[in-house]
Amino acid sequence: LDIDERFSARDNFKIYIGHNGKLIIGKSNFFNNSCSINCVREIEIGDNNQFGENVLMYDHNHKYSDKNKLISEQGFKTGKIKIGNNCWIGSNVIILKNVEIGDNVIIGAGCIIHKSIASDSVIINQQNLVEKKPDCD
């Protein structure tokens, strides 16, 4: 675990590091309420990043291919997460394993990041809201 002294986090910030996990958090990073970093292999966060509320990071997920074992007994598939510098990660974003986020990236609220993002990008969630009127008979 390597965290710069200018690190700042609000309420309910959580870090989990597995036995061989490596977590590096650079200079002047801010984590809002209820952010969670779950590191089994490696997560690296650059400098001057802002994280909205409830941002979650997972550098792993459960293995589940052996039907004769409980999922909880099968271990994990692991990868890395790397976040560049000067990024704004909006509220309720989930960042998954094998993702690299470049510098100066903005990620809008509610996105699930499952692939890498180039520097100077803006990512938004284009969720469609569908409003239906009730049938009136």
Side-chain angles (χ1 to χ4, degrees), residues 90-109:
S91 294
N92 299 306
V93 168
I94 300 171
I95 302 171
L96 301 175
K97 68 179 176 62
N98 296 325
V99 164
E100 184 168 341
I101 297 171
D103 296 334
N104 309 307
V105 170
I106 298 169
I107 301 176

Side-chain angles (χ1 to χ4, degrees), residues 1 49 68 91 111 113:
L1 174 62
N49 296 296
N68 297 314
S91 294
C111 292
I113 306 303

Side-chain angles (χ1 to χ4, degrees), residues 23-120:
L23 173 61
I24 300 168
I25 299 176
K27 299 175 186 172
S28 300
N29 284 286
F30 169 75
F31 292 86
N32 211 327
N33 298 311
S34 301
C35 289
S36 177
I37 299 174
N38 299 275
C39 179
V40 171
R41 182 172 172 194
E42 184 174 341
I43 297 177
E44 181 179 350
I45 299 169
D47 301 333
N48 304 305
N49 296 296
Q50 305 289 308
F51 296 85
E53 290 187 335
N54 201 41
V55 172
L56 309 175
M57 292 179 224
Y58 300 94
D59 70 350
H60 61 283
N61 59 357
H62 287 276
K63 292 180 182 177
Y64 54 86
S65 60
D66 188 342
K67 294 181 174 136
N68 297 314
K69 285 186 178 181
L70 297 172
I71 292 173
S72 61
E73 297 174 346
Q74 295 186 47
F76 300 103
K77 294 179 185 178
T78 63
K80 295 180 183 180
I81 294 173
K82 183 175 182 182
I83 299 173
N85 302 307
N86 193 40
C87 295
W88 166 248
I89 311 296
S91 294
N92 299 306
V93 168
I94 300 171
I95 302 171
L96 301 175
K97 68 179 176 62
N98 296 325
V99 164
E100 184 168 341
I101 297 171
D103 296 334
N104 309 307
V105 170
I106 298 169
I107 301 176
C111 292
I112 298 175
I113 306 303
H114 58 90
K115 62 182 182 177
S116 294
I117 299 170
S119 292
D120 304 310

